[in-house]
Amino acid sequence: MRDFAGRIAVITGGGAGMGRELARQLVAEGCHVAICDVAQAAMDETRRLCEAGLPQGVRITTHVVDVADEIQMQRFRDEVAAQHATGCIHLLFNNAGIGGGGSMIANSREQWERTFNICWGGVYLGTRIFLPMLIAADHGHIVNTSSVNGFWASLGPTVPHTAYSAAKFAVKGFSEALIGDLRLNAPHVRCSVVMPGHIGTSIMTNSRRIQLGDSSDELSAEEVAGMRQRLSAAGIDLAQTSDDDLRAMAKERARSFQEDAPTSAAAAARSILDGVRRGDWRILVGDDAHALDARVRAMPERAYEVDFYQSFAAEVGWRLG
């Protein structure tokens, strides 16, 4: 699918980050877009940005949806069909995701499953529910967002990362299996799996808000205590560090993750859309993603050793864990 003009795209997690940038770039090319997110205010901002210079006749719609909820996803599909007056869509970007619940031991089951159910369940439900509309089109393309954590299940030796990594491995395996399924049963529909490295998004802040149902940017006393425990366990001396200092550290980390990332969300969206145009089934996003892919393949038995992460982080400038 080399030309997006006149097509209809559905994007989950369109309120920020790569989802927002995908929407902006698609509408600029004349593609109609339906985005969903749990945050209406964030989607309103995406819509405002999209409508600045919106090509005549191009439609963008917003829908409040929890992608882990099948009933809400079915409503989303029905709203897309009604508001875009269509029985088909051409592009499906299963992009929504959050972090959190990294430890099977230290985190609650609720946190763990919330992350897994959004990052994996949202991809499954999005594909399952919108697939008939893709099959009804002359051409269709499913784009599932995995991660480098879909082939390397770590953020470094001091940060457990089981929920997100398990989900992203599931997304990668599902997408690869779906390629053959589509080839046999719906050959006019294609599937790509996207594996970004460190992309500058607000996922850290947004994940916390979704996990806790808290719109405040300030860490609670319980969160500060948990942060202190994790850092102390990693060998960091916090004897002279106040709770307010830890809150400031958390804010700075979230800011740096978004603003100092090697790849911006806009650049990531361009890479994804270029990959779709080329018909790539496997889309690595960012130089760090390409480098990590090569390194894991070269030394899989050492992929979870401390020195593997330390040398790789030094090479690409990661400061994630």
Side-chain angles (χ1 to χ4, degrees), residues 5-314:
R7 304 289 189 175
I8 301 173
V10 168
I11 305 170
T12 68
M18 293 192 303
R20 171 178 288 174
E21 295 302 328
L22 284 167
R24 294 181 69 183
Q25 293 177 34
L26 284 166
V27 298
E29 296 192 34
C31 183
H32 307 289
V33 171
I35 64 172
C36 80
D37 205 288
V38 293
Q40 182 66 62
M43 285 194 294
D44 290 344
E45 177 62 11
T46 297
R47 183 169 189 159
R48 184 191 69 79
L49 291 167
C50 288
E51 289 179 341
L54 188 72
Q56 186 174 5
V58 173
R59 183 180 301 109
I60 177 167
T61 59
T62 62
H63 310 262
V64 177
V65 176
D66 178 350
V67 298
D69 186 311
E70 185 169 5
I71 292 174
Q72 292 188 40
M73 287 292 284
Q74 290 169 339
R75 171 175 53 78
F76 181 29
R77 174 202 59 202
D78 294 345
E79 289 176 357
V80 170
Q83 295 181 29
H84 288 260
T86 185
C88 70
I89 64 169
H90 305 91
L91 293 153
L92 171 64
F93 294 87
N94 287 312
N95 166 78
I98 65 167
S103 174
M104 285 285 288
I105 301 162
N107 291 113
S108 68
R109 178 172 178 172
E110 180 182 31
Q111 287 180 318
W112 203 99
E113 292 185 356
R114 182 67 174 144
T115 298
F116 187 83
N117 290 342
I118 290 173
C119 291
W120 155 244
V123 172
Y124 168 72
L125 289 174
T127 303
R128 173 68 73 185
I129 288 167
F130 280 98
L131 188 56
M133 295 183 75
L134 286 157
I135 292 174
D138 56 346
H139 295 287
H141 204 126
I142 301 165
V143 184
N144 294 330
T145 300
S146 178
S147 167
V148 293
N149 292 130
F151 60 78
W152 184 68
S154 179
L155 276 182
T158 66
V159 183
H161 203 46
T162 61
Y164 186 86
S165 295
K168 295 304 186 179
F169 265 78
V171 171
K172 179 176 180 289
F174 169 69
S175 301
E176 293 187 19
L178 193 57
I179 291 168
D181 194 354
L182 292 168
R183 186 176 293 142
L184 291 171
N185 295 299
H188 62 298
V189 180
R190 304 193 67 164
C191 180
S192 298
V193 58
V194 175
M195 290 171 285
H198 178 191
I199 309 300
T201 72
S202 56
I203 188 172
M204 293 180 69
T205 301
N206 292 341
S207 297
R208 176 184 170 274
R209 289 172 176 170
I210 292 170
Q211 288 282 8
L212 300 177
D214 181 3
S215 61
S216 170
D217 290 335
E218 290 293 329
L219 267 63
S220 67
E222 183 179 358
E223 289 176 286
V224 170
M227 182 178 178
R228 186 180 293 278
Q229 183 178 14
R230 289 192 302 273
L231 293 175
S232 297
I236 299 173
D237 183 5
L238 300 175
Q240 304 301 316
T241 305
S242 70
D243 286 358
D244 285 342
D245 291 337
L246 289 176
R247 289 187 175 93
M249 286 170 58
K251 277 188 177 181
E252 172 56 22
R253 187 176 179 221
R255 183 210 63 77
S256 179
F257 185 92
Q258 180 169 3
E259 297 178 13
D260 300 335
T263 305
S264 69
R270 284 193 295 272
S271 293
I272 294 167
L273 295 179
D274 286 346
V276 172
R277 288 189 187 92
R278 291 191 302 267
D280 297 347
W281 71 264
R282 187 173 189 268
I283 304 173
L284 290 164
V285 180
D287 291 343
D288 54 348
H290 286 272
L292 183 58
D293 179 54
R295 184 176 286 230
V296 171
R297 289 173 183 274
M299 51 182 80
E301 292 296 330
R302 296 200 56 78
Y304 300 106
E305 299 296 332
V306 172
D307 63 341
F308 179 98
Y309 171 76
Q310 290 175 339
S311 61
F312 179 75

